[in-house]
Amino acid sequence: MKKNLVRLIALASCMLMGMSLVTACGNEAEVASGTTEVSESASEVQEEIKEDITEAKEDVEEVKEEVSENVEKASEEVKDATSDDAEEEHISMLPDYIYKGGDPYISAISMFMIENYAGNYERSDVSIPNISIIDIDDSNADDILVWGDYWIFNYDLDGDKLVCKSGGNYPGLIHIKDNLVTGFDIVADGSDYTESAKAIFGDRYEKFEEVNASTEEREKIRTQTISDYVKSHELNITKYQDEGWDPVNLPE
């Protein structure tokens, strides 16, 4: 833009010089010549101005586009930050679930499920696993094998009721050493499910199928697990509920 202004000043100077030349000379031919030069200079100035305006418009469009991109990017960052803050601000008034029974394998598996799978879902007030053990091979203390149908359920407190907000099924073979889970052979999802389950459960596959298909037995374990949690913490909770289903009363 500075370069354009310099050119404009130079052209304007030429015009003034041309006009002075016309005034100083009395010759009609010289006057006509000076007038022609002034006219040509004016045309050149107009062209220069048009070019400068065009360039300025292009610069404005580039700035507008850049501002628009920056605004869009900033909006996305604000959304992400707001979402993260919302998750961080979720404060539960319920104690964490801890298995307090006498089975060391269920204790290890429960802790493992909460630590590794509860986080796959939106935060809730409490995550409670549901453990159905199918078979155990403890012949090798360094690698105890526990086949089972493992679930995780995530609940929010609503009055005196736990409402299940999310959850999932993770069947497979868990490896345990010194009361800690050291590995997990999980059944694959989708079209590989059956083949994977047969490979992991082997001659226990039919029993696994029975356990996994039995909603009634799973709900019995679930009800007892929640009841034990409520009683151990002396909570004022009398039932739990899956969304879209009737509440299930806990045993007194």
Side-chain angles (χ1 to χ4, degrees), residues 22 36 39 49 54 57 68 85 98 100 149 152 221 228 242 245 248:
V22 171
T36 301
S39 177
I49 292 174
T54 300
K57 286 182 178 179
S68 178
D85 290 343
I98 298 176
K100 295 186 177 182
D149 189 31
I152 190 77
I221 295 173
D228 291 343
D242 291 328
W245 294 82
V248 177

Side-chain angles (χ1 to χ4, degrees), residues 108-121 127 152 154 170 174 180-184 186:
I109 295 169
S110 295
M111 183 183 301
F112 174 79
M113 293 299 296
I114 292 171
E115 291 178 351
N116 291 275
Y117 293 101
N120 291 347
Y121 308 90
S127 298
I152 190 77
N154 305 300
Y170 304 89
I174 282 182
L180 294 174
V181 174
T182 58
F184 186 21
I186 189 170

Side-chain angles (χ1 to χ4, degrees), residues 53 135 165 175 178 234 243 251:
I53 291 174
D135 196 10
K165 308 301 291 186
H175 302 255
D178 297 331
E234 299 181 348
E243 291 190 358

Side-chain angles (χ1 to χ4, degrees), residues 55-238:
E55 290 179 4
K57 286 182 178 179
E58 291 175 354
D59 291 342
V60 169
E61 289 301 320
E62 289 180 4
V63 171
K64 286 171 65 178
E65 184 176 349
E66 184 176 350
V67 169
S68 178
E69 290 176 356
N70 289 337
V71 168
E72 185 176 351
K73 183 179 179 181
S75 297
E76 290 298 324
E77 291 176 351
V78 169
K79 283 183 181 178
D80 293 341
T82 302
S83 176
D84 292 341
D85 290 343
E87 287 189 5
E88 291 175 1
E89 290 173 1
H90 183 96
I91 300 175
S92 172
M93 301 303 293
L94 293 176
D96 292 338
Y97 173 83
I98 298 176
Y99 174 75
K100 295 186 177 182
D103 191 316
Y105 304 141
I106 293 180
S107 177
I109 295 169
S110 295
M111 183 183 301
F112 174 79
M113 293 299 296
I114 292 171
E115 291 178 351
N116 291 275
Y117 293 101
N120 291 347
Y121 308 90
E122 289 186 10
R123 291 191 180 186
S124 59
D125 289 334
V126 63
S127 298
I128 302 178
N130 206 60
I131 311 299
S132 298
I133 292 178
I134 293 171
D135 196 10
I136 298 173
D137 179 358
D138 57 2
S139 58
N140 180 2
D142 291 332
D143 188 20
I144 297 171
L145 308 178
V146 185
W147 290 266
D149 189 31
Y150 309 119
W151 293 73
I152 190 77
F153 294 106
N154 305 300
Y155 302 90
D156 281 346
L157 181 63
D158 181 10
D160 66 342
K161 177 176 61 180
L162 288 179
V163 178
C164 185
K165 308 301 291 186
S166 60
N169 182 212
Y170 304 89
L173 169 61
I174 282 182
H175 302 255
I176 295 177
K177 178 182 179 181
D178 297 331
N179 295 329
L180 294 174
V181 174
T182 58
F184 186 21
D185 304 328
I186 189 170
V187 174
D189 289 330
S191 59
D192 296 328
Y193 177 86
T194 301
E195 182 180 353
S196 174
K198 287 181 177 180
I200 291 173
F201 285 94
D203 56 7
R204 305 167 185 83
Y205 175 73
E206 288 187 6
K207 186 176 181 181
F208 160 67
E209 283 281 273
E210 292 175 6
V211 171
N212 185 260
S214 178
T215 303
E216 182 178 353
E217 287 301 316
R218 181 164 55 252
E219 287 303 307
K220 284 182 180 179
I221 295 173
R222 186 181 180 189
T223 301
Q224 189 60 54
T225 301
I226 295 174
S227 178
D228 291 343
Y229 164 74
V230 169
K231 289 178 180 178
S232 67
H233 294 286
E234 299 181 348
L235 301 173
N236 184 29
I237 296 174
T238 63

